Amino acid sequence: QIQDLTFLIKNYYLTELYLNNNELTDISGALKHLCSLQILFLHNNELKKLDKTVKELKGMISLQTLNLFQNPLAYDPDYRLYVIYFLPSVQLLDRKLVTQRERESALHLYNPKKAWVMQSVAFGKRVDTSLGTAQGCSRCCQPARRPIMPSVLKWFGNVQVTHLLCSFCRVPFEDPEDAVLVRATTRSLMEFSSVDWDKAATCQERRLKNKAEEPLEKLTVQFR
């Protein structure tokens, strides 16, 4: 039935703290000095304000295990992603491991500008993220540019088009099909040609002119 945590004011070196199954309604100012804390159980209390609770725990850079379930704040629709983003050291939240996908989702939700930059740079590797328009970023919220590849291909050679499209590759699109089209047109062009050599005259036939010369039919296929 603990309701007040002022008795912890001098316990600076605590590494584990089990306060579950009590009647705590607010922890503001009571735990932020516990910078060495690694395990904190606060489940089954009466904590209602998610932002105030997380703000109190932000200074705990060693915190790895945190339980907040069975509190009113846990019913917030973005509760888990909010905690994951603002408490990055936490690895086990409410008895469930924090995944890399959850960290990426939290980054997209609470820091879309940084997520967009990381997606566009990618540091030389493929990034498993969509090219959807991010919210909250002034640059990303500009209207998506529509693909102009059909007309561009008529006027520019493959090299010029590739350089021209580089600027479009970094712009999020409203329609995912637009992004697919842009990426497809920047891939290397491959060309295959085939000839029916049975219809071509041999060296001896050409020398003796026993067989009339016929123009060869060449079939050429290009794709990206």
Side-chain angles (χ1 to χ4, degrees), residues 10-23:
K10 295 183 179 180
N11 297 87
Y12 293 99
Y13 298 107
L14 282 178
T15 57
E16 301 181 16
L17 183 56
Y18 303 90
L19 292 169
N20 49 298
N21 305 319
N22 283 291
E23 298 179 1

Side-chain angles (χ1 to χ4, degrees), residues 108-114 133-141:
H108 274 277
L109 183 61
Y110 294 103
N111 196 342
K113 186 173 183 180
K114 181 178 179 180
T133 303
Q135 298 179 355
C137 175
S138 59
R139 182 176 180 182
C140 297
C141 290

